[in-house]
Amino acid sequence: MLQELDSELTDRAAIVAAAVAYATALDTRDWETLRALFTDDACWEYSGSGERLCGPDAIVARISTGLERIDATQHLNGNHVAAVHGDEAEHTCYYHAQHVRHGLPDGEKFLGGGRYDDRLRRTPDGWRFTHRRITNIWSEGNPAVVTS
């Protein structure tokens, strides 16, 4: 029983580490690491725009195109909840995402908060996202930071 608990805690820690690696890859513009966090059949959804993309290349292309024009970002995650079912798992956490773009007349910052709802699969390379749904709950600041 103690070994099962240790295994479950190790899996949960690895799942949270994957969520943190996603945020870090966004902020450091490390597209190779971001791509490696998704399985080949992964899908990514963003509730704010209704987008749904499948496959790591399409996911990374969308994210990188959106973030490359922004001067700086900081994605912070919290309130992680992970449930492991063998080699499959569900994970949720909250996020705060600060976006900064210098020189805009109506303000240089846009802050968004919401939730990630994930499904992951254990692979030989560790836990990888098979599905990530981003639900924006609130925002403040100048939306042109992220839209123009």
Side-chain angles (χ1 to χ4, degrees):
M1 175 132 168
L2 188 56
Q3 187 176 10
E4 289 176 23
L5 179 59
D6 185 46
S7 178
E8 184 174 340
L9 292 174
T10 299
D11 284 338
R12 286 183 184 183
I15 290 164
V16 171
V20 171
Y22 176 95
T24 302
L26 297 183
D27 295 338
T28 61
R29 310 304 195 258
D30 184 349
W31 309 129
E32 184 177 321
T33 294
L34 183 63
R35 187 192 188 293
L37 291 170
F38 291 94
T39 61
D40 288 340
D41 61 344
C43 290
W44 177 94
E45 294 181 74
Y46 180 59
S47 69
S49 62
E51 292 173 89
R52 178 180 167 88
L53 302 168
C54 293
D57 292 335
I59 294 166
V60 171
R62 162 57 178 88
I63 293 171
S64 63
T65 299
L67 292 182
E68 288 292 350
R69 66 179 177 259
I70 299 171
D71 294 314
T73 59
Q74 186 177 53
H75 292 76
L76 304 174
N77 297 331
N79 295 3
H80 295 271
V81 177
V84 179
H85 311 285
D87 291 336
E88 303 287 326
E90 292 107 29
H91 167 264
T92 62
C93 70
Y94 296 135
Y95 70 83
H96 280 178
Q98 178 72 60
H99 305 80
V100 178
R101 193 160 153 208
H102 301 297
L104 294 176
D106 293 328
E108 299 179 339
K109 295 180 182 173
F110 182 78
L111 177 63
R115 184 181 68 247
Y116 293 122
D117 293 296
D118 304 317
R119 290 192 304 268
L120 299 97
R121 181 181 308 132
R122 185 192 319 269
T123 74
D125 297 318
W127 287 96
R128 298 295 182 255
F129 295 102
T130 59
H131 186 264
R132 172 156 266 203
R133 180 174 175 76
I134 304 163
T135 303
N136 188 41
I137 297 173
W138 61 269
S139 62
E140 64 180 40
N142 182 5
V145 171
V146 295
T147 60
S148 65

